[in-house]
Amino acid sequence: MARREDRGLDRDLADLPPDLRWREWLRRIEAVLFASAAPVAREDLARVVGQGASVDLLIEDLAADLEDRPYEVAQVGAGWMLRTRSAYAPAIRAAADVEGQALNLSEFDLAVLAAIAFHQPISRDGLKDIFGREISRDLIGRLAERDLIGTGPREPRRGAPYTFVTTDAFLAAFGMTSLRDLPDPEQLADAGLAGSSKAPDV
């Protein structure tokens, strides 16, 4: 990631007593997470605190500070973000204009996204094998436009077609920390999704 402007930022805060220094570092991390629409990596958070300060411990303390708040610190991929607690989703939908944040994907789009998540890296040919039909470039484009998928390594065969993988934005959109949070085949079967048009047959 490109280095951001941090001239004039007193990272070490040596003139403050230790407890106030820690509190200021905590507030800085909260401010950075609040301002960012995407998960913020550890190395980026480390740029706003003193040398040797533990970002992990600061995140733990911030999570404890926010326990009675309507939002929380969530780890997403290799970074963290602030996320509204799910209990407040109905209130947000009732009062806030969040239509622009909706994924607005069809059931089939979601099925293709699930197939990519479970089988990544996977090419359009691989998706065709799963669904028994060609997956359009437009559909792939819709998923990429919403930053839910990105390109993976090229397949080692003639033509070297691109493969697709999910992104941190995918994890954030579905409330997951990592791909290990994907449901296993047994959970999908229990939910009546395995082998249906709603999810890939895994």
Side-chain angles (χ1 to χ4, degrees):
M1 190 174 277
R3 184 157 182 84
R4 291 169 175 78
E5 187 67 39
D6 61 3
R7 281 181 298 183
L9 177 67
D10 179 6
R11 292 175 59 194
D12 293 308
L13 302 171
D15 57 328
L16 292 180
D19 57 334
L20 292 181
R21 184 182 313 137
W22 188 264
R23 177 60 49 185
E24 176 60 20
W25 287 338
L26 200 66
R27 293 296 165 240
R28 286 180 180 182
I29 284 182
E30 183 177 4
V32 170
L33 296 181
F34 180 81
S36 179
V40 184
R42 177 183 282 102
E43 57 267 25
D44 293 323
L45 292 174
R47 292 188 180 124
V48 300
V49 301
Q51 192 124 22
S54 169
V55 169
D56 292 305
L57 289 177
L58 284 161
I59 289 286
E60 278 181 30
D61 281 2
L62 179 57
D65 267 9
L66 299 178
E67 271 184 0
D68 60 347
R69 307 293 295 163
Y71 52 91
E72 62 189 346
V73 180
Q75 186 169 5
V76 178
W80 290 273
M81 65 187 302
L82 290 179
R83 183 168 63 197
T84 307
R85 296 183 193 275
S86 58
Y88 295 94
I92 292 168
R93 283 194 297 270
D97 182 9
V98 291
E99 281 303 308
Q101 299 173 35
L103 292 178
N104 293 325
L105 297 173
S106 72
E107 188 174 291
F108 188 68
D109 290 357
L110 287 170
V112 171
L113 180 58
I116 293 170
F118 279 97
H119 299 285
Q120 62 188 303
I122 187 169
S123 65
R124 284 177 65 223
D125 284 344
L127 292 169
K128 181 180 178 181
D129 290 342
I130 291 171
F131 291 99
R133 68 189 238 199
E134 198 74 40
I135 302 303
S136 73
R137 284 189 168 84
D138 285 347
L139 192 161
I140 295 295
R142 283 194 297 277
L143 299 178
E145 191 177 85
R146 290 161 175 78
D147 194 28
L148 297 169
I149 64 169
T151 53
R154 288 181 173 240
E155 281 193 343
R157 62 184 176 87
R158 189 173 181 176
Y162 282 106
T163 61
F164 303 101
V165 296
T166 54
T167 62
D168 281 353
F170 164 82
L171 296 175
F174 292 95
M176 292 186 281
T177 300
S178 75
L179 292 172
R180 289 188 297 274
D181 295 333
L182 284 168
D184 60 33
E186 203 171 284
Q187 290 173 306
L188 289 174
D190 289 346
L193 298 177
S196 78
S197 63
K198 296 180 185 175
D201 189 1
V202 289

